[in-house]
Amino acid sequence: MDLGATAVAATHSTARHEVLHAYQMAEDAFAIGNLSESVKFARQALQQAPTFAPAHLLLSTIAFSGGQLRLAVRDLLRASEHATRQPATLIAAIALRLISLGETGAALKTINDMDTASIQESSVLFDLAQQLTLLEQHGVALQFLEEVESRGGETFLTAYFRGNAMKFM
């Protein structure tokens, strides 16, 4: 048995637990409106794991709610830089926030960098297709919508967005 590898794995597991705990504390503080504590715990998580995208997104949300647009954009761009290995729902949330803050190039890059084949939820594919239409990426949006339909997820909204996307091609 390789004790070195076991020790590294245990250390990694402990560190991961500490990051998740700090982030959970940040979310809990945010939920009750204690923004200063939320920021403190989110930063604590990022000290241990600088690429932890959810903490960057939370800091962006807090900054935006406080009217600190530049800080919100900075933290959101950091979240997008580290989003590729995150759950698809988080990536979609980051991309939508980027669009809403005018960072359309970063939003498109975030979506394009995703491993879309690994997305299990049709609703996320649909949300991404909507975002792609906002970015005037109608051909790619159609591909996402076709995937939703192939999974049996065709609805009135899917057909509506497909029609709109086709109208601009």
Side-chain angles (χ1 to χ4, degrees):
M1 178 155 124
D2 183 0
L3 294 179
T6 303
V8 168
T11 302
H12 180 68
S13 176
T14 301
R16 179 82 176 148
H17 175 73
E18 290 173 5
V19 169
L20 293 175
H21 178 72
Y23 179 69
Q24 185 60 55
M25 296 293 290
E27 280 194 325
D28 292 346
F30 181 76
I32 61 171
N34 189 341
L35 301 184
S36 62
E37 282 293 300
S38 184
V39 168
K40 179 181 96 173
F41 285 117
R43 287 184 179 152
Q44 182 180 335
L46 289 170
Q47 284 176 341
Q48 298 172 46
T51 62
F52 190 60
H56 287 294
L57 180 59
L58 180 58
L59 287 173
S60 175
T61 301
I62 294 167
F64 185 76
S65 70
Q68 298 174 315
L69 186 58
R70 289 177 197 232
L71 191 57
V73 170
R74 183 202 71 189
D75 289 326
L76 186 58
L77 289 171
R78 287 180 179 166
S80 72
E81 291 169 7
H82 307 296
T84 54
R85 294 186 182 169
Q86 299 298 320
T89 53
L90 178 66
I91 296 170
I94 290 170
L96 184 57
R97 178 76 53 81
L98 286 165
I99 292 167
S100 71
L101 293 179
E103 295 291 334
T104 56
L108 185 57
K109 181 180 181 331
T110 299
I111 294 170
N112 285 336
D113 288 350
M114 290 180 72
D115 176 14
T116 55
S118 68
I119 299 174
Q120 300 299 313
E121 307 92 347
S122 292
S123 61
V124 173
L125 288 170
F126 180 77
D127 290 344
L128 290 168
Q130 287 180 298
Q131 293 176 32
L132 287 162
T133 59
L134 292 172
L135 297 171
E136 299 183 4
Q137 300 295 313
H138 304 293
V140 182
L142 279 173
Q143 293 172 2
F144 278 69
L145 292 169
E146 288 170 3
E147 181 62 28
V148 170
E149 292 168 357
S150 75
R151 295 178 181 190
E154 183 166 0
T155 65
F156 168 77
L157 283 175
T158 308
Y160 174 78
F161 275 97
R162 186 180 60 244
N164 275 341
M166 293 175 72
K167 173 169 69 172
F168 293 102
M169 292 185 64

